[in-house]
Each structure stands twice: as C-alpha cells, then as structure tokens.
Amino acid sequence: MENETATKIIPDLETNLVQYVREKLREKLDSSSIKPKWDWQGAPVYEIGDSENGYVVLWHDNEVQYFVRVRRIRHNGFRLGRQVLLWRNPKSDVTNGFAQKVFFSVLLPKYGALIADKEQTKNGSAFWGNAIVSAFDRNLHVYFLDRRSRKTQLTELLDEHDLGKYRKELWGTTPSHLLTFAIISKTPLVLRKKGS
C-alpha cells in the first residue's frame, strides 16, 4: 500500500478506460462461479476481490451498470478505504441511489473510514459533497486533511457551514489540491505524532 496525496479535479474518465474495465468485469463474471452477494432493486450485486483491493459491481440486463474499484491505503498513520475508479450508467434507473448505498452500507463498514480519491471528476467531487452532508445526518465523523505544509493538519468538519468554509480547499484544479482530502469515518481520527 502506498502513501498517496490528492483531491484534484480532472476531466471525465476516458471512454476507453471505462469500456476496458467493464469488459474485464463482464469476462470475470461470465467465466467464474462468483455468486452475487446481495441485490439492489432486483439486480444482482457482486463483490470481487479481498479486503485490500476489489470491485463492487451492479449487473442488470446482462450488462455492468455500475462498478467501483476500492483499495485500502495508508495515509498519515491511518488505514483507509479509497474509491479509485467509479463508473455508473447514467441511462439506467437501477443505479439510482446505488452509489450512496455502496458507500455507506458496504465500503464504510468494511474499511471504517473512506478518503477521497487523489483525482476526481466534477461528478466525483459532487458525490463527495453529498456524501459529506449525508455523513453529518448520520452522525459520522467528517474531516479535512491538509498536507500543504510540513505539518499535516486534520480538521473535523461539524456541519454544512464547515463544509462550505473548506470546499474551495478540498476540491480544485491547482497543484495544491493534490495535498488536500475529505475523509468520512465511523470513529474519531487523530493524527499520529511523528516518531510514534
């Protein structure tokens, strides 16, 4: 596991990359005896991989309708989950609400805390903004992790006012946005002191 930085806004994912991953997931599901873990609105949901790396895949009408690749990372002494690649079919009604379900009911319980990806599309940053608001409603812990100076800072965000205060620092297109992150955690987080 590597120590990574970032939450920089990038253009939408390349169609070729998305298509490649969808085809590989389709091959995996077609050629193996993987069974669905649960279903969403009558569509099977597959969880592929282990506790370090994996995919959650929504399958409907003989096609991948949604996938997210997740990886466990180490960051400032924390072990966190990170969604590193996500795609959903915007034309499919079965995907409505599914990303939030996966985030809060599958990934957060599995990893304990989720950190924003090192680069996100505008849709990705909008998802995180909505997830943070939902996290406040669920009494979860939300943080702004700032690695722009030599002394890393972890600031707990308590409400939407705090989110508004840090929004421009959390997401943007400058090189400094490669050093700022949002984190949602089930438990309180404290930065580890150097040398411990």
Side-chain angles (χ1 to χ4, degrees):
M1 289 180 286
E2 63 225 46
N3 188 0
E4 298 180 8
T5 59
T7 301
K8 184 176 178 183
I9 302 298
I10 60 171
D12 288 339
L13 296 176
E14 293 179 32
T15 304
N16 292 346
L17 172 63
V18 169
Q19 189 58 34
Y20 173 80
V21 174
R22 287 178 64 209
E23 286 173 14
K24 290 297 178 189
L25 289 170
R26 179 190 242 297
E27 289 172 15
K28 176 94 172 155
L29 293 175
D30 283 344
S31 68
S32 70
S33 60
I34 297 174
K35 302 284 184 219
K37 293 284 186 178
W38 47 289
D39 72 272
W40 173 258
Q41 298 182 13
V45 179
Y46 297 85
E47 294 180 32
I48 304 167
D50 56 31
S51 64
E52 299 299 314
N53 293 285
Y55 285 89
V56 176
V57 181
L58 177 64
W59 183 264
H60 184 64
D61 289 339
N62 209 29
E63 288 291 332
V64 173
Q65 301 296 327
Y66 168 102
F67 70 80
V68 60
R69 179 172 181 226
V70 185
R71 204 168 44 178
R72 186 181 301 275
I73 65 163
R74 291 178 198 245
H75 210 307
N76 288 87
F78 306 127
R79 288 174 52 89
L80 309 159
R82 174 175 273 164
Q83 298 178 121
V84 293
L85 182 63
L86 187 147
W87 176 84
R88 85 179 208 28
N89 179 351
K91 297 175 183 172
S92 173
D93 290 339
V94 77
T95 63
N96 293 341
F98 187 69
Q100 289 267 338
K101 173 72 172 175
V102 169
F103 189 92
F104 287 105
S105 299
V106 177
L107 302 180
L108 192 58
K110 181 176 185 176
Y111 294 100
L114 298 170
I115 187 168
D117 195 3
K118 62 182 180 175
E119 295 179 320
Q120 292 181 335
T121 63
K122 286 187 178 186
N123 286 339
S125 65
F127 172 84
W128 265 88
N130 291 332
I132 288 170
V133 171
S134 183
F136 293 142
D137 293 342
R138 297 167 188 249
N139 295 314
L140 296 168
H141 300 273
V142 177
Y143 296 94
F144 168 55
L145 179 64
D146 186 349
R147 299 186 65 205
R148 292 176 292 181
S149 70
R150 294 179 96 185
K151 185 177 180 189
T152 299
Q153 296 178 359
L154 183 68
T155 305
E156 187 162 13
L157 307 181
L158 301 175
D159 54 31
E160 289 184 56
H161 173 76
D162 285 351
L163 175 60
K165 182 177 170 184
Y166 289 99
R167 185 178 297 276
K168 288 183 180 178
E169 292 180 82
L170 281 165
W171 298 284
T173 57
T174 68
S176 69
H177 287 99
L178 294 173
L179 300 169
T180 61
F181 307 87
I183 298 174
I184 296 174
S185 177
K186 290 174 57 177
T187 60
L189 300 178
V190 177
L191 286 175
R192 188 173 62 182
K193 293 181 182 176
K194 295 221 184 237
S196 43

